[in-house]
Amino acid sequence: MLIAADRLFRDGAITGPGAVAIENGRIAAVLDYDPANPDLRLQGGILAPGLIDLHNNGAFGIDCAEADTDGFRHLCRALGARGVTSFAPTVITAPFAALHGAARRLRAALAAMAGEPVARMPGLHLEGPFLAPNRRGAHRADWLRDPTSAALDELLADPDLAATLKLVTLAPERPGGLAAVRRLTDAGVMVALGHSDADATEAQAAIEAGARLVTHVFTAMRPFHHRDPGLIGVALADARVHACFIADGVHADALALRFGFAAAGARAVAVTDSVSLAGLPEGSTARFGGDSAQARDGAARRPDGSLTGATITLDEGLRRLIGAGIAPASALRAATEAPAAALGLADRGRLAAGCLADLVWFDDAFEIRNAWIGGTALHPLPAPARHAAAMPATETIRRDLDELDRADSATIMAALLDQEQEAAAAVKRAIPALARLAEDVAVRLEAGGRLFYAGAGTSGRLAVLDAVECGPTFSLPDGVIIPLIAGGGAAVTGAVEGAEDDAAAAAALLDDHKAGPTDVLVGIAASGRTPFTLGALRAAAARGLLTGAIVNADGPLATSADIAVVIATGAEVLAGSTRLSAGTSQKLALNALSTTVMMRLGKTFGPYMVDLRATNAKLRARAIRIVRAIAGVPEADAKDALETSGYEVKTAIVMLMLRIGTTEARARLAEAGGRLRTALDGA
């Protein structure tokens, strides 16, 4: 199934348009463009990974400490419908026998619900009983324990608990605390620090022992003081831990949440700390943690008014975080990517190939439109469309131009140039994918790799042009950017009929150049399916090259490339004549790609071409102007420095600005990796 969306949340950012391909319950690919024929096109809103709640004591009348299989099924269905596709069922402090019973019921429920399209439960979160008495919050004091070796032996002796336990929140300052952290982490159980009076030294010692989360920062822990930062300060400052924040806006003020998210950055995790009263009307009552609780004033409270948990689900928490002034992308990350990373759930929380197809579609107000678990939609969907084979968009006919040949020359030109403006706009829409390709190409070239272009006809000629022009513009040695054109050199100045259909030709060319994993190949084609270019991509992938595609229509080239840049220019003024707007868009894209790569490699200084080859009078005059402008010297000084350095523009600038000789200037540039700005800044 292919789901297209205007916007996607991916890798910590909201981008789009794009699409997610789903096969066998997992994400097969994430596309950086709007495909022509998706099975489902989402109108508006954002497609994101499913939400993940690491701290959920229950909701909708179900308490995780007491739930049986039917209760868990009800909870998992209801949370899934709210976009919460994974959660850690949480059980608070209780006698060990009660904890063992909760684990037994959870294990039975997991077995009974295996394969059902309901929210997933990756494991049990025990919040307690190893907590600080003076920071216990709603936990009963008479049930608290020290995390001694004997206590852990008793707790973990139960096979159901040992099989389901995923996360333990404890106070590290209690006797045996650090040893408990080490023992649990050695057993594969994550440890969170919380309900703790630990000072910063004690908290950092626990992190050294293996703790990797902090439970509900600000709540039930020593207050922050600038001379005694405690666990709060460590949670906000230590890059080794994920900081969890209750997202209801009641347990922590909006300003505190903004402060916490700003400090923790990508380590911030949104949790609910919800109890069974979540999703029930205000005034509802329940038993929780051995005492009574009521939904009152926006949270769960004990009879004395003290907080004992939240009454929201994580989708509402997301909306409240955004309402508190936290950027939507940061809030989404805290509810998806960050909790998955915190708990080591590598198969979810991201829109990435190989991850579970657990998705949520938000509208523009971040209300849930739909959710998918393992690719199964939880709300009704229209039947997938059946698509007939479609011609490339560049081959379609603009019926509004049926009489164009009767028009005057000015009208014809206006139609052509209007379409060229559309081509430029289409390239601009493709910038996110084009920028990703440029970044990856720059990394490969800086490490000594090469960039191959592959194309046929107009696309191949544009590739040759870009490759050739990069040489003198950036003093790029021969053999760094290598164009492969169908039909060889003869195709540059004339048509070589049938060459574009030779899918095997590019593989032989790559073999001739001994292309390998350090290199990159970018295939260029308007139709998105040219056999020569497709053969080049597949041959490159087989040899371990990074592959990219610059195309004007959806098709096998886009789906075969690691990074696809689909420039949707649409129908040409002359149907199928892709030397027009498709060709323009490819020239713009190649210019943007190679120029950005050269900038990333330090071959420019602001708007100046400081690596140009001054091989003629015009370029020597330009070199003098560049040196004068950057170094701020008279023309005679610029000319003298250039002549002394053999017309090496960067060397001349370093000589003049640092008042050093040619040899030392070249050495400084070499030390700076050829980057002029680095050589000057490091002086």
Side-chain angles (χ1 to χ4, degrees):
M1 183 177 186
L2 186 61
I3 303 175
D6 295 333
R7 291 181 293 166
L8 294 83
F9 176 71
R10 182 184 183 195
D11 298 331
I14 297 172
T15 65
V20 174
I22 299 171
E23 294 179 6
N24 300 318
R26 291 186 178 268
I27 297 173
V30 182
L31 310 183
D32 290 318
Y33 58 91
D34 186 4
N37 296 303
D39 298 297
L40 178 64
R41 188 179 298 282
L42 307 180
Q43 299 297 328
I46 297 172
L47 182 64
L51 306 180
I52 302 173
D53 189 359
L54 301 187
H55 194 159
N56 186 303
N57 304 282
F60 308 107
I62 305 299
D63 186 336
C64 293
E66 300 175 352
D68 58 11
T69 295
D70 288 341
F72 274 120
R73 181 176 281 114
H74 173 73
L75 177 60
C76 291
R77 284 175 175 168
L79 287 174
R82 298 288 187 96
V84 182
T85 57
S86 289
F87 73 100
T90 303
V91 177
I92 72 167
T93 298
F96 281 3
L99 300 180
H100 294 158
R104 181 180 65 255
R105 292 187 292 273
L106 173 61
R107 191 178 187 186
L110 288 170
M113 295 190 296
E116 294 182 17
V118 296
R120 306 175 194 271
M121 297 184 288
L124 180 65
H125 175 188
L126 284 187
E127 187 187 11
F130 310 125
L131 309 179
N134 62 332
R135 302 293 178 192
R136 62 186 175 85
H139 294 247
R140 282 182 51 162
D142 56 327
W143 289 346
L144 296 178
R145 300 278 295 269
D146 285 330
T148 61
S149 177
L152 284 176
D153 287 344
E154 183 182 352
L155 180 69
L156 299 176
D158 179 71
D160 296 310
L161 192 139
T164 57
L165 188 59
K166 187 71 174 178
L167 175 65
V168 173
T169 293
L170 57 76
E173 72 276 15
R174 291 204 70 152
L178 295 183
V181 172
R182 285 189 286 269
R183 177 172 175 181
L184 289 166
T185 54
D186 286 347
V189 177
M190 303 295 291
V191 174
L193 309 178
H195 285 277
S196 168
D197 200 39
D199 61 23
T201 300
E202 290 167 325
Q204 288 172 323
I207 294 168
E208 292 289 343
R212 288 296 177 264
L213 298 93
V214 177
T215 291
H216 47 51
V217 177
F218 303 128
T219 299
M221 57 186 61
R222 176 185 296 217
F224 177 86
H225 186 278
H226 61 282
R227 286 192 297 274
D228 181 16
L231 182 52
I232 293 175
V234 171
L236 300 182
D238 196 309
R240 295 172 293 179
V241 293
H242 280 83
C244 301
F245 300 91
I246 300 175
D248 66 350
V250 177
H251 283 76
D253 180 79
L255 182 61
L257 288 170
R258 290 202 301 274
F259 167 60
F261 268 66
R267 298 181 294 108
V269 174
V271 300
T272 60
D273 197 6
S274 65
V275 300
S276 64
L277 295 167
L280 301 184
E282 184 85 351
S284 299
T285 59
R287 296 284 295 177
F288 175 63
D291 286 309
S292 60
Q294 183 179 41
R296 189 167 82 249
D297 298 328
R301 299 179 185 272
R302 295 299 191 200
D304 63 2
S306 61
L307 291 167
T308 186
T311 55
I312 61 165
T313 49
L314 193 51
D315 60 312
E316 176 61 24
L318 178 71
R319 292 187 288 273
R320 293 190 185 187
L321 289 174
I322 295 169
I326 291 165
S330 296
L332 278 168
R333 179 175 58 202
T336 57
E337 295 174 358
L343 213 57
L345 303 175
D347 62 352
R348 66 199 78 180
R350 297 177 298 130
L351 294 187
C355 285
L356 294 165
D358 295 351
L359 312 171
V360 60
W361 175 28
F362 296 100
D363 67 14
D364 292 335
F366 290 92
E367 297 286 348
I368 304 297
R369 295 288 299 277
N370 213 330
W372 291 259
I373 294 177
T376 298
L378 302 187
H379 300 293
L381 286 172
R386 294 184 179 275
H387 304 294
M391 67 175 68
T394 53
E395 301 282 343
T396 56
I397 296 171
R398 287 182 54 179
R399 291 300 179 189
D400 61 316
L401 301 178
D402 279 353
E403 301 296 318
L404 185 62
D405 60 311
R406 297 176 182 270
D408 58 62
S409 296
T411 301
I412 292 171
M413 289 182 179
L416 289 165
L417 293 176
D418 284 347
Q419 183 62 27
E420 298 294 79
Q421 290 182 338
E422 288 296 319
V427 176
K428 196 166 187 178
R429 290 193 295 271
I431 282 176
L434 193 58
R436 284 180 58 215
L437 182 58
E439 293 286 348
D440 285 359
V441 169
V443 169
R444 296 292 179 102
L445 263 58
E446 188 159 34
R450 297 166 294 173
L451 170 60
F452 290 90
Y453 288 143
T458 298
S459 300
R461 294 182 194 104
L462 291 170
V464 171
L465 179 63
D466 192 75
V468 169
E469 288 180 341
C470 281
T473 304
F474 302 108
S475 290
L476 200 66
D478 293 340
V480 176
I481 301 181
I482 303 170
L484 310 178
I485 182 170
V492 176
T493 56
V496 179
E497 299 300 331
E500 72 173 50
D501 295 328
D502 189 349
L509 292 171
L510 289 172
D511 284 340
D512 290 343
H513 287 285
K514 295 182 171 56
T518 59
D519 300 322
V520 186
L521 182 134
V522 176
I524 310 148
S527 68
R529 58 188 68 186
T530 304
F532 172 85
T533 312
L534 184 58
L537 273 179
R538 289 174 174 166
R543 289 159 177 76
L545 279 73
L546 173 73
T547 58
I550 296 175
V551 293
N552 297 93
D554 196 10
L557 273 170
T559 55
S560 297
D562 295 318
I563 302 174
V565 182
V566 179
I567 308 170
T569 49
E572 297 281 0
V573 170
L574 296 179
S577 183
T578 52
R579 73 183 186 88
L580 298 175
S581 60
T584 297
S585 73
Q586 291 172 11
K587 179 69 166 69
L588 291 171
L590 287 168
N591 279 352
L593 175 67
S594 58
T595 303
T596 302
V597 168
M598 294 300 112
M599 287 184 171
R600 295 274 73 80
L601 295 178
K603 292 185 169 293
T604 62
F605 186 92
Y608 298 106
M609 297 184 294
V610 292
D611 250 342
L612 66 82
R613 291 178 189 159
T615 54
N616 56 41
K618 180 188 77 171
L619 293 178
R620 284 192 289 273
R622 181 180 297 166
I624 292 170
R625 291 195 297 272
I626 291 171
V627 173
R628 288 189 64 190
I630 296 174
V633 297
E635 180 176 342
D637 290 352
K639 186 175 181 181
D640 181 61
L642 281 165
E643 288 177 347
T644 302
S645 65
Y647 269 84
E648 296 171 6
V649 175
K650 290 192 291 193
T651 303
I653 292 168
V654 173
M655 290 167 59
L656 289 165
M657 294 188 72
L658 301 185
R659 299 185 181 184
I660 57 179
T662 307
T663 301
E664 189 178 351
R666 286 175 178 152
R668 279 187 177 274
L669 282 165
E671 220 176 282
R675 288 173 165 79
L676 176 58
R677 194 175 297 277
T678 304
L680 295 176
D681 290 346

